[in-house]
Amino acid sequence: GENVEQHPSTLSVQEGDSAVIKCTYSDSASNYFPWYKQELGKGPQLIIDIRSNVGEKKDQRIAVTLNKTAKHFSLHITETQPEDSAVYFCAASRSPDKLIFGTGTRLQVFP
Amino acid sequence: GAGVSQSPSNKVTEKGKDVELRCDPISGHTALYWYRQRLGQGLEFLIYFQGNSAPDKSGLPSDRFSAERTGESVSTLTIQRTQQEDSAVYLCASSLGTTTDTQYFGPGTRLTVL
């Protein structure tokens, strides 16, 4: 079955700097790769997703890149702000199907 | 519009008791998923309903866990004879169920087994 690995587990950056979180997956048939942000005591919220027919997608300060050959995808947050502090999860699936999640990255943005 | 709702938000129970957790998906979403999140960890898939198809139960950790869904609406997750290791946040998500679907999560139910 699918296995998703996520790094780093924690990430601390200064406000205004960029943050990068990386994930690898094992199932070459996976075709959908969402990223979720989870704040304390809340459910995960989708922030951006990418499908296997696209290499890069950007939404304001957030971008995701996908390398199907290497089976890895990354989340890039530019100009980080304190409100970006949260736990971020990557996931992969053979959409539509269950999501297999990474173990999460706790991002702290210091003012 | 209304998102996925779950009830109760918190549930404290004694070891050995049964519990029922409820999920109300977004209207029109044919797919519904249950995940479990232990403290400080990622989300583990439990069960997936898609329309009238047989559910994918491959993630259920034991036969103490079961779930039902009425048509394309409410779902209940039942845990029988709860154990302390069942303590976790149980999250429900729903999606349109198409190849371009996005899963939207509810706020979760925090279950504590004493």
Side-chain angles (χ1 to χ4, degrees):
Chain A
E2 175 67 280
N3 181 52
V4 178
E5 295 189 355
Q6 182 172 348
H7 300 280
S9 57
T10 60
L11 180 59
S12 296
V13 300
Q14 204 72 32
E15 182 178 1
D17 287 349
S18 295
V20 180
I21 303 170
K22 299 181 179 181
C23 289
T24 60
Y25 62 99
S26 60
D27 184 356
S28 56
S30 287
N31 58 4
Y32 176 60
F33 308 91
W35 286 89
Y36 285 86
K37 175 183 181 181
Q38 188 174 31
E39 296 174 330
L40 195 62
K42 297 183 178 180
Q45 180 183 12
L46 179 75
I47 55 171
I48 195 167
D49 57 13
I50 192 167
R51 303 187 187 276
S52 58
N53 58 345
V54 175
E56 184 174 358
K57 184 176 178 180
K58 189 174 181 180
D59 182 4
Q60 299 182 8
R61 297 185 297 108
I62 295 173
V64 57
T65 58
L66 171 65
N67 183 328
K68 285 185 63 180
T69 303
K71 289 190 280 188
H72 67 70
F73 56 113
S74 300
L75 177 71
H76 305 252
I77 306 174
T78 58
E79 301 171 28
T80 53
Q81 301 168 3
E83 52 265 39
D84 294 330
S85 297
V87 178
Y88 291 80
F89 291 98
C90 64
S93 86
R94 298 184 184 190
S95 181
D97 200 349
K98 57 186 176 285
L99 292 171
I100 305 301
F101 283 85
T103 48
T105 297
R106 181 172 300 279
L107 173 65
Q108 287 187 301
V109 181
F110 293 99
Chain B
V4 177
S5 60
Q6 292 185 245
S7 60
S9 54
N10 281 284
K11 176 72 177 178
V12 180
T13 190
E14 293 180 347
K15 178 181 174 181
K17 301 276 181 142
D18 297 352
V19 295
E20 275 193 1
L21 313 180
R22 177 186 168 109
C23 172
D24 283 85
I26 294 171
S27 178
H29 280 194
T30 63
L32 187 147
Y33 307 79
W34 284 97
Y35 296 88
R36 177 172 71 179
Q37 186 175 30
R38 291 194 165 114
L39 186 64
Q41 298 187 23
L43 286 78
E44 305 169 64
F45 165 74
L46 296 177
I47 188 168
Y48 161 38
F49 296 90
Q50 171 59 67
N52 295 320
S53 302
D56 176 355
K57 303 180 181 180
S58 60
L60 294 178
S62 77
D63 59 8
R64 296 187 296 105
F65 288 72
S66 63
E68 292 184 350
R69 187 180 186 194
T70 307
E72 293 185 351
S73 61
V74 172
S75 175
T76 55
L77 177 69
T78 302
I79 308 173
Q80 296 179 309
R81 306 181 302 282
T82 51
Q83 304 294 312
Q84 288 184 332
E85 61 262 29
D86 299 335
S87 296
V89 175
Y90 289 82
L91 290 154
C92 174
S94 72
S95 73
L96 286 170
T98 66
T99 55
T100 58
D101 72 344
T102 297
Q103 293 186 28
Y104 296 93
F105 282 82
T109 293
R110 180 175 298 279
L111 174 66
T112 303
V113 182
L114 302 176

